[in-house]
Amino acid sequence: MMPDASADPLSLRLDEKLTHLSGAHFEWCIYRVHDHIRRQSEKAYEPEMLSIGPYHRGKGHLRMMEEHKLQYLQLLLKRTEETSVDRYVVAMRKLRKRAQGCYADSINLSEEEFVEMMLLDSCFIIEFLRKFSMTMLRDTNDPIFNMDWIHPGIWRDLILFENQLPFFVLVHLFSMTKIPDPRDNIIDLMIRYGYCVREHYICTMSPGFERFLKISYRISPDDVKHFLGLVHHVASSSVAKLVSNRNICHNEKRWDYINSATELHEAGIRFKKAKRTPWLYIRFVNGAIEIPHFAVEEKFETTFRNLIAHEEHLQDAGPKYVRIT
């Protein structure tokens, strides 16, 4: 229908904007960090070596890893005995519109660039996690696995609030490239990698690891929005269990506020250092709160700050476990 020539110009402009407005914002799950949080420590939200997703793609200091992404895609084709990326490109094209609708802020990439980004980034994450847990998949000349120092940096960048891919993109490519190995489960691989980085690659010696990995059995990939969301889910699980246990002991009353350590101590609660347990695996045992110890160094501070940014954007009314005080 032709616009009314006598209509108010402002009405015409607004009608045009409304015509192109979609409902994609209902799937928003990847945002920019709020300015009031970023100002506290801008460096904590910027990738140092690895760009994932569109927000930081193309930055000069991150270009080195772009070559590794291409190499991992080439190695994937070699492993699957394929000569073209065509079927993967077709799959990413089908997911493009939904994936773009997950980003709340503007994306400065063309459709072709966005599809390329989806394929390269998801392939790198999936193949990297596989190679980390299944050493037979590693290339002997892979510099990423010949330099241990690079792993904490990759982990740091993978959990950045702005440095995310929609999880359904990862799951789709993962299912297209699945291998016959019981360890080839995307949730397990992510949890294993995060735990091992935190434990400095001694996870096989840690009695807490298998208990920690059991958390993955209760997580459905359909309930995960992105990598950081999975980390938050796992990190908060033990705290949620502690809260749940306390609620049961107190007539099911909601426990949203956690008293300070000083207040708990004054109330007769003792504190005990937990032995070899995952971070945030907190238990209340015989009148004592068992808490894991860790050094709050720069990378760990970055993790907490990005978890806080994630909680700021959670849309449900549930309790928040990582918060600014």
Side-chain angles (χ1 to χ4, degrees):
M1 186 173 65
M2 294 294 292
D4 185 354
S6 63
D8 186 296
L10 176 58
S11 299
L12 293 174
R13 289 202 304 273
L14 286 174
D15 286 341
E16 179 70 14
K17 289 181 179 180
L18 291 173
T19 299
H20 293 91
L21 188 66
S22 71
H25 64 280
F26 291 114
E27 277 205 86
W28 284 353
C29 62
I30 304 172
Y31 305 80
R32 293 281 191 176
V33 177
H34 284 155
D35 286 343
H36 75 278
I37 296 180
R38 187 185 295 276
R39 285 194 296 267
Q40 297 174 11
S41 178
E42 188 165 351
K43 184 180 178 182
Y45 309 103
E46 293 286 327
E48 294 180 345
M49 63 176 65
L50 177 64
S51 167
I52 297 295
Y55 290 155
H56 297 279
R57 185 173 176 80
K59 291 186 176 180
H61 69 289
L62 304 175
R63 288 175 185 163
M64 180 191 75
M65 292 300 293
E66 295 304 307
E67 185 69 23
H68 290 297
K69 292 177 185 179
L70 285 168
Q71 290 173 350
Y72 272 33
L73 180 56
Q74 184 182 58
L75 289 171
L76 170 63
L77 293 178
K78 181 179 179 180
R79 175 167 65 78
T80 56
E81 299 182 342
E82 297 174 273
T83 58
S84 172
V85 299
D86 186 62
R87 78 181 184 104
Y88 301 114
V89 170
V90 169
M92 294 298 106
R93 283 194 190 281
K94 291 179 179 178
L95 298 177
R96 177 188 61 80
K97 285 188 177 180
R98 183 185 172 193
Q100 286 180 320
C102 293
Y103 293 92
D105 290 78
S106 59
I107 299 171
N108 297 319
L109 296 176
S110 68
E111 291 184 7
E112 296 291 297
E113 290 171 333
F114 191 85
V115 170
E116 180 180 340
M117 176 273 297
M118 289 170 62
L119 177 55
L120 290 176
D121 289 2
S122 58
C123 175
F124 177 80
I125 292 173
I126 290 168
E127 290 301 291
F128 170 74
L129 292 173
R130 281 174 170 151
K131 294 173 191 291
F132 184 86
S133 289
M134 295 172 268
T135 57
M136 73 284 192
L137 298 178
R138 299 180 191 176
D139 186 270
T140 55
N141 297 317
D142 188 340
I144 291 179
F145 288 97
N146 289 332
M147 299 181 291
D148 281 349
W149 60 266
I150 205 171
H151 290 270
I154 291 177
W155 166 257
R156 175 201 178 276
D157 287 352
L158 284 176
I159 55 87
L160 296 183
F161 183 67
E162 297 179 345
N163 219 32
Q164 301 297 319
L165 272 183
F167 204 71
F168 65 81
V169 175
L170 294 170
V171 170
H172 192 83
L173 186 64
F174 189 90
S175 65
M176 292 180 70
T177 59
K178 193 164 178 58
I179 62 176
D181 189 299
R183 292 169 294 180
D184 199 38
N185 175 294
I186 190 168
I187 301 291
D188 286 358
L189 292 177
M190 288 183 171
I191 290 177
R192 184 181 296 272
Y193 175 61
Y195 186 90
C196 290
V197 169
R198 182 258 178 183
E199 292 293 310
H200 302 290
Y201 311 106
I202 55 173
C203 59
T204 54
M205 299 166 58
S206 173
F209 177 67
E210 291 303 324
R211 180 173 61 235
F212 188 57
L213 196 58
K214 286 180 182 179
I215 295 173
S216 70
Y217 304 156
R218 303 190 297 270
I219 301 175
S220 167
D222 294 335
D223 297 329
V224 179
K225 299 298 185 182
H226 45 65
F227 196 108
L228 177 61
L230 174 63
V231 173
H232 179 269
H233 184 103
V234 174
S236 60
S237 291
S238 61
V239 181
K241 185 176 180 180
L242 174 64
V243 172
S244 176
N245 290 342
R246 189 181 188 278
N247 287 343
I248 291 172
C249 297
H250 290 271
N251 302 318
E252 302 293 335
K253 292 182 180 178
R254 188 178 180 87
W255 192 44
D256 285 337
Y257 174 72
I258 302 176
N259 298 84
S260 69
T262 300
E263 292 169 330
L264 292 173
H265 179 70
E266 291 175 349
I269 302 296
R270 293 178 292 109
F271 292 87
K272 184 178 179 181
K273 183 173 72 174
K275 295 181 180 179
R276 307 295 302 158
T277 58
W279 68 290
L280 288 188
Y281 189 85
I282 301 170
R283 299 193 304 164
F284 185 70
V285 182
N286 298 324
I289 295 179
E290 296 185 355
I291 304 176
H293 68 287
F294 49 82
V296 185
E297 55 193 17
E298 181 182 343
K299 284 185 172 58
F300 221 93
E301 178 188 351
T302 296
T303 300
F304 275 107
R305 288 191 178 277
N306 282 272
L307 287 171
I308 290 168
H310 173 65
E311 286 196 345
E312 284 261 313
H313 287 81
L314 288 179
Q315 297 178 5
D316 58 68
K320 306 298 188 287
Y321 300 104
V322 187
R323 63 182 72 185
I324 301 173
T325 57

